[in-house]
Amino acid sequence: MQLTITRTETLKPKPDENQLGFGTLFTDHMLNVDYTPDRGWHDPRIEPYAPISMDPATMFLHYGQGVFEGLKAYHTDSGGIQLFRPGENIKRMNRSCRRMCMPELDPHFALESLKALIAVEKDWVPKAPGTSLYVRPTMIATDPFLGVRASHTYRYFIILSPVGAYYPEGFNPVKILVTKDYVRAVRGGVGEAKTPGNYAASLLAGQKAHDEGYTQVLWLDGVEQKYLEEVGAMNIFFVIDGEIVTPELNGSILPGITRKSVIELARKWGDPVSERKISIDELMAANEQGKLQEAFGAGTAAVISPVGEIKYGERMISIAEGKVGPVARKYYDAITDIQYGKAEDPMGWIEPVT
Ligand SMILES: Cc1ncc(COP(=O)(O)O)c(C=O)c1O
């Protein structure tokens, strides 16, 4: 597929790198690619960032047949731009596509077109400490049709957004709420796919948690409401009696790339780590026995997000005295140092763009 590039005539002003938030500013260009059954994926083009015009009957708008990804491009001290494990995002997107009856992308094309877009937008990758360029590949069903079936046509696009440091004032442990009123995903559902409906399903519980003063919801499984699954839009880790523990992938948990990276680093370093079922009762008991040493979320946005407090029903537990534990700190430093090119990349996780 021949990628064409049409440059905009007017560049947007670049933002102040020290004032960047998350997800509000977008760069000058985007990638668009179309799919039809007869031509497959075709007409890949980098063109000026612009609204997408859609028929009001477009299937994605009605039935949510869509998938997306989230990753970041980082500026290194030596002036290069690099991505962290983009091949993993592409694999996950293709798995999401299979679950949502959508056509997969050729992984080589997906990576090369993503890198080409970032190369065009290289001046948008911020350089201030902790900042990055967030990359949002998205695929949507585009048939104008009101009936529940898989669409025949699709649009794939990538947009880019410069984002600020997640911890401008340093690591800040968060308070999280375990809810029994709502679940995020169920066995046999679409929890392990990165599809918009999962996020829509999480909003009300998230809002209620915020209203009560909590940052995130710690989700229980959707069948027995007994086992821990994820925290907000992150995977969850605990340190119990010296062992790093995370819920095993069961079909309703999103297989995070940060999660995978923590596990792979732990195995490389010889830190005890296991993926298994963890019940909320086990967690509460571990806390009572003084064995629950740390809890932290893991995801692209924050990398590691220490948890200082968990509320479950009437019970409230404080973890690591509400401070940042040494395991959270060690994995945060190791992963961010690789992402920003401050440390060697012994795992082969870095994909250079320029
Ligand atoms: C529901 C959910 N779980 C976990 C994660 C963490 O995944 P990753 O580490 O690939 O960002 C994300 C973010 O993408 C998410 O949306």
Side-chain angles (χ1 to χ4, degrees):
M1 269 197 287
Q2 190 61 37
L3 182 63
T4 62
I5 301 179
T6 307
R7 288 181 185 265
T8 177
E9 284 173 7
T10 39
L11 295 175
K12 298 173 188 169
K14 301 285 186 300
D16 175 350
E17 292 191 355
N18 298 308
Q19 302 291 325
L20 290 170
F22 186 89
T24 52
L25 297 168
F26 303 97
T27 67
D28 293 304
H29 300 88
M30 66 190 291
L31 172 80
N32 280 307
V33 194
D34 291 306
Y35 179 93
T36 53
D38 51 333
R39 298 178 67 191
W41 286 111
H42 63 273
D43 196 14
R45 55 211 185 269
I46 290 171
E47 51 194 354
Y49 185 97
I52 300 175
S53 155
M54 278 189 267
D55 190 295
T58 296
M59 290 185 77
F60 171 70
L61 299 176
H62 299 270
Y63 309 116
Q65 193 194 7
V67 302
F68 66 99
E69 271 301 325
L71 67 161
K72 286 174 170 178
Y74 306 87
H75 226 290
T76 65
D77 292 345
S78 54
I81 294 171
Q82 58 187 33
L83 292 158
F84 182 70
R85 313 192 78 176
E88 292 295 328
N89 291 90
I90 292 167
K91 275 195 234 163
R92 185 170 67 189
M93 187 164 67
N94 277 339
R95 287 200 304 270
S96 298
C97 283
R98 289 199 286 277
R99 180 64 182 84
M100 301 304 290
C101 297
M102 300 171 76
E104 293 176 43
L105 288 165
D106 170 64
H108 178 75
F109 164 76
L111 181 60
E112 292 310 313
S113 55
L114 191 160
K115 285 166 63 177
L117 178 64
I118 295 169
V120 165
E121 301 291 53
K122 61 183 186 330
D123 294 343
W124 279 94
V125 186
K127 298 189 177 83
T131 62
S132 57
L133 185 69
Y134 187 75
V135 182
R136 169 54 59 86
T138 308
M139 193 190 293
I140 56 171
T142 52
D143 278 8
F145 177 65
L146 292 187
V148 180
R149 60 150 169 81
S151 179
H152 300 132
T153 61
Y154 296 87
R155 164 71 61 89
Y156 172 63
F157 62 90
I158 305 179
I159 55 175
L160 306 173
S161 173
V163 298
Y166 200 88
Y167 296 111
E169 281 125 32
F171 250 166
N172 204 1
V174 295
K175 290 164 63 175
I176 61 179
L177 180 69
V178 183
T179 176
K180 274 206 158 179
D181 295 338
Y182 305 97
V183 296
R184 173 188 169 273
V186 294
R187 190 187 300 157
V190 293
E192 68 180 346
K194 205 160 166 68
T195 188
N198 286 329
Y199 298 81
S202 75
L203 294 177
L204 184 57
Q207 268 181 11
K208 291 195 170 179
H210 276 187
D211 292 346
E212 285 188 46
Y214 295 87
T215 321
Q216 305 272 4
V217 173
L218 179 55
W219 299 104
L220 295 177
D221 74 275
V223 179
E224 295 173 76
Q225 291 194 279
K226 189 170 164 192
Y227 296 100
L228 300 164
E229 296 223 320
E230 306 196 51
V231 56
M234 289 184 287
N235 294 110
I236 184 80
F237 281 84
F238 302 98
V239 182
I240 302 175
D241 208 11
E243 183 183 41
I244 302 170
V245 188
T246 191
E248 66 190 9
L249 299 178
N250 58 357
S252 53
I253 293 175
L254 190 88
I257 292 150
T258 318
R259 172 189 184 278
K260 185 171 181 169
S261 304
V262 168
I263 294 168
E264 289 175 9
L265 272 183
R267 295 207 172 114
K268 181 177 167 62
W269 290 338
D271 289 347
V273 59
S274 71
E275 298 172 70
R276 62 172 172 81
K277 283 186 166 186
I278 311 160
S279 70
I280 183 71
D281 293 339
E282 175 189 343
L283 194 75
M284 293 289 143
N287 179 62
E288 267 160 33
Q289 294 155 9
K291 292 182 179 168
L292 177 59
Q293 293 152 316
E294 292 187 41
F296 55 89
T300 296
V303 181
I304 298 292
S305 178
V307 173
E309 219 174 278
I310 299 179
K311 181 158 187 247
Y312 174 53
E314 295 307 307
R315 296 163 77 179
M316 166 94 82
I317 62 175
S318 164
I319 302 165
E321 294 164 355
K323 300 204 180 80
V324 181
V327 176
R329 165 71 60 191
K330 171 170 146 180
Y331 284 82
Y332 176 80
D333 288 346
I335 294 173
T336 53
D337 282 354
I338 294 173
Q339 289 170 335
Y340 285 95
K342 292 182 195 304
E344 288 295 300
D345 171 28
M347 314 294 275
W349 285 343
I350 291 302
E351 177 73 36
V353 176
T354 58

